[in-house]
Amino acid sequence: MKIVHTDVLVIGGGLAGLRLAIGAKRRGHDAIILSLVPAKRSHSKAAQGGMQASLGNVAKGQGDNEDVHFEDTVRGSDWGADQEVVRMFVNTAPKAVRELAAWGVPWSRVRKGDRTVIINGQKVTITERDEAQGLVAQRDFGGTKKWRTCYAADGTGHAMINAVADQAIADSIPVHERMEALALIHDGNRCYGAVVRDLVSGELSAYVATATAVCTGGAGRVYRTTTNAVICEGIGHALALETGVSALGNMEAIQFHPTGIFPAGILVTEGCRGDGGLLKDVDGHRFMPDYEPEKKELASRDVVSRRMEEHIKKGKGHQSRFGTHLWLDITLLGEKHIHTNLREVWDICHYFLGVDPVKEMIPVRPAQHYTMGGVRTDASGQSATLKGLFSAGEASCWDMHGFNRLGGNSVAETVVAGMIVGESVADYCDAIANAPTVPMGLVREFVEREQAKLAAFTKAGGKEDASVIKGEMQDLMTAKVGIFRTGADLEEAVDKLQKLLVRSRSIGLRSPTLGANPELVTAYRVQRMLKVALTVAYGACVRTESRGAHFRQDYPQRNDAEWLKRTLATWKGDADTLPTLAYEALDVGRMELPPGWRGYGAKDYIDHPDTPARQSAVEAIRAQHAGDRFATQAALMPYEHLLPEYLRGRNERIDERFADGDRPAAATTGQ
Amino acid sequence: MTMNATPRNHRKLRFHILRYNPAKADDTPRVQVYELEEAPGMTLFIALTEIREKLDPSLQFDFVCRAGICGSCGMMINGRPSLACRSVTQSFPEDIWLAPLPVFELIGDLSVNTGKWMRGMSEKLETWVHLQQEKLDFTRIEKPMDPALAEEVYELDRCIECGCCVAGCGTARMREDFVGAVGLNKIARFRLDPRDARTDEDFYELVGDDNGVFGCMSLLGCHDVCPKQLPLQTQIAFLRRKMVAQGTKG
């Protein structure tokens, strides 16, 4: 049995995993990254429009700060987020942008003076300040009060992962490519690494580690229509779930992005609308202001996607040979803007649709886009139930997105979580109590178990076809667990998914070899994907309210009285066909921003009994510290102790200059 | 493509795929033909996925983003290195010939190890910003950068490391250690970046030889096949001029 030893095993080579590994390595711990693909090909690369950070450099971002970013994010989450984690995030995001700037990300920069932009369909002249010249620029995105989204044209994730992956190479962090984790090695209390399969040779080995981090991104491929890359199959979620001990949080919270190109589902960025693009119907009518007079096209994604589908149901969609869709119109932005700031969008339209977006409208319809739920961790990124297991990025639920994520907050989360959880991992490795005392018998047992499971596929003579089962699962999820959900649909989905799971236990292979074998990969993955799909469908079935992206037509109200709580799904036994659900209440009494109306979307919700008392307490504290936003925040909800020391400092802005001597010595890197 | 076009009889496509699994001791390279009915808007991603699901589960190829941005699916398509995911079958005749990219280590069938090659190139050319100072304070306002220069850096940073330029390169066939247009473009990118402390003297150490910029024979296949239309021709010419100047100094 081949065994590889390391301090930190990072599963997933996207932005979160890379940044986490860099953090741990710089603290003196060896890290190995496992990746299905070369790191730079990870799905982080597909982030187009940008990364939210409250730098407030542009004129339309003036007055932005952590407080505004915090409130936007919590409202966006429909109060499902952990507000302490949101605070940690918004305070770190500006530092992350600045670190990335130093690492070489070619952020688009501010040009001083007048420029013409499109706002609400009209040409408007904005004057950028002299002192902002050359600083990182921000664009508008949905669900935000200020222009906050930092960007490198519309290849932001691409530019970010280039810089971070190259930094990992500079730090000599090995990326073991085309390697897939099949199981986490654990004893029910502690995680010791993973059983790993070489996708080229088929060989199994054990990677034994002090700390293991799941940074595997989303699970979009459990759906048929998704913007996600083909590798985003939720396997990291399944790894955690299959321990039987660690939980997945809020898996029913699935985001649908308004502008997947139709019918391929490839994403065109929210930056299209942020920069002034409009949504139009079959009559060429701009319909969003009819539904959302305040935020129009720039309400949060869950709201815009629902309004689009609502409008299609009214018969206002355009019928094409592939089905019904709406239009995204960016022609008003002009050729120069599109060729400079939306060039990936141009490429995608050109190659996949044969459409020139400078002259023609883009066919769009909402498509699955983001998995808000994930491996449940505490604010340090560690599982509360399985020591030594960490998670960061889209795969995790620490939980900063609640039931809906804002555009630009995910790619920001990847690096921010990597920075924070990288330190937690290093702390964990530093602690002597965690010195590896690896039970080698256990390691052998886990490897042999996975070996036997694989052998069963090639020998048992099963009759089921893995790709047929996968296709049925994807169709079911898109048809029954989509944007509009009902009890009847969800019950049907849960029932059929259970049957598919049972069938998946009798998969046979047409090409029964254990080496490089794409069919074998589909076979073992589809079993895991079905478990993940069941956490989504079953969680949605039981949650009888509507919150963020989870919308129940039979329970259209947000119900804080009964459902201000996080779903925790575990998978208790191998023979089970359903996850076990438990719930973790969110404490209104500790919230900096008590539940209320989001500022867009439906206004009716059922209050939590504790909300009025907390609301008055918050108002009293605000009155007491009026004029000092830092003192107010600290009195409302202290969170800084949760951050690694070097990330605790305030963030300087044009309008919030540090006086000389303010420089917090801790706030440097390269330690 | 018109979204409203009336459906017509679909073509029968014939995919001639070069197959070989080097891990199998008894395997020999051969061309296998698969027939598939064309569908509207069909890309090679859709076609190859369908072939694998319905006709041959053992066929190896690589796709990740299927949106033309990750660089995984470079392959020889009717003799030309291109990204398969955004190649629409409509633009080809009924016979489509697919082969793995040359130069790179073959994993099997259409799958090649570009990741290993690119990592080696990155380590050799140190393709990261070499900071001028060790400690940076990220609580402070970032250093300004000329907006036009940032756009120029981004332009070169758009490389997706797909390997098409290397597959289309004459020198790469003759010199195993040639860094390719991808490598030279990266040096051009970091040379342009004011955050990188390296000078032409440093860059000369990295690419001032026949495995670097002087190995280029100016055939410029790289420029013709780059799926991101990077300005490889001008960048290589400019870099060569700068490296000649550096090499003939003093």
Side-chain angles (χ1 to χ4, degrees), chain A residues 40-41 104 158 226 343, chain B residues 64 66 139 155 157 161 189:
Chain A
K40 283 179 194 164
R41 313 218 191 284
H158 165 91
T226 175
R343 52 191 303 171
Chain B
V64 179
R66 60 79 172 93
T139 65
E155 180 68 27
D157 203 54
E161 300 186 9
R189 179 241 177 276

Side-chain angles (χ1 to χ4, degrees), chain A residues 37-38 40-41 45-46 55 57 95 98-99 101-107 109-111 133-136 152-153 155 158-159 162 166 169-170 173-175 177-178 200 221 226-231 262 264-266 318-322 340 343-344 347-348 351-353 467 510-511 516 518-519 650-654 657-658 663-664 667-671, chain B residues 1-7 10 21 40-41 43 45 52-55 57-60 62-72 85-86 88 107 111-116 118-119 122-123 127-129 131 134-148 150-151 153-155 157-162 186 189-190 193 195 227-229:
Chain A
V37 299
K40 283 179 194 164
R41 313 218 191 284
K45 182 153 229 173
L55 298 184
N57 291 330
K95 298 176 180 71
R98 288 165 176 167
E99 178 179 82
W103 287 2
V105 172
W107 297 112
R109 302 283 175 150
V110 183
R111 284 183 168 89
Q133 168 71 16
L135 299 182
V136 174
H158 165 91
N162 272 358
D166 282 338
I169 297 173
I173 296 170
V175 180
E177 295 171 5
R178 296 175 192 265
V200 176
R221 287 278 157 178
T226 175
T227 64
N228 283 194
V230 300
I231 53 171
F262 188 80
I266 295 169
H318 178 91
Q319 306 292 328
S320 81
R321 65 205 278 200
F322 302 108
T340 314
R343 52 191 303 171
E344 301 299 332
D347 263 13
I348 286 166
Y351 287 105
F352 293 94
L353 295 170
S467 46
R510 286 171 288 167
S511 164
E519 190 187 20
R650 293 180 186 182
N651 298 298
E652 190 180 35
R653 295 179 180 79
I654 294 174
R657 293 273 183 193
F658 287 176
R663 188 189 186 110
T668 55
T669 66
Q671 67 274 47
Chain B
M1 182 176 79
T2 312
M3 302 291 293
N4 291 322
T6 29
H10 298 310
N21 183 351
T43 60
F45 163 67
R52 184 149 86 188
E53 281 179 1
K54 295 189 178 149
L55 304 174
S58 70
L59 183 65
Q60 293 188 63
D62 294 315
F63 287 100
V64 179
C65 75
R66 60 79 172 93
I69 52 164
C70 78
S72 299
C85 73
R86 67 178 203 191
V88 183
I107 290 173
S111 174
V112 291
N113 203 337
T114 49
K116 182 177 168 187
M118 295 296 164
R119 171 98 184 197
S122 280
E123 286 172 353
T127 61
W128 53 86
V129 164
L131 289 173
E134 273 299 296
K135 291 211 181 260
L136 291 164
D137 181 353
F138 298 125
T139 65
R140 305 305 292 255
I141 290 177
E142 65 277 10
K143 219 171 156 183
M145 187 169 170
D146 176 49
E151 281 166 13
V153 173
Y154 175 71
E155 180 68 27
D157 203 54
R158 291 179 72 237
C159 171
I160 55 173
E161 300 186 9
C162 59
K186 282 186 189 282
R189 179 241 177 276
F190 288 104
D193 195 325
R195 296 165 290 200
K228 288 287 154 183
Q229 283 95 39

Side-chain angles (χ1 to χ4, degrees), chain A residues 82 85 214 247 249 374-385 389-392 395-399 421 566 568 584:
Chain A
D82 180 318
V85 170
V214 172
V375 181
R376 178 72 187 131
T377 72
D378 60 20
S380 79
Q382 186 170 202
S383 165
T385 43
L389 176 66
F390 295 79
S391 185
S396 77
C397 176
W398 58 336
D399 158 5
V421 182
R566 189 172 292 122
L568 297 179
E584 183 182 8

Side-chain angles (χ1 to χ4, degrees), chain A residues 20 33 80 117 147 154 253 374 395 407 444 465 481 629:
Chain A
L20 187 153
I33 297 172
V117 298
W147 291 23
D154 62 345
R444 182 173 296 278
D465 183 316
V481 198
R629 71 181 187 93

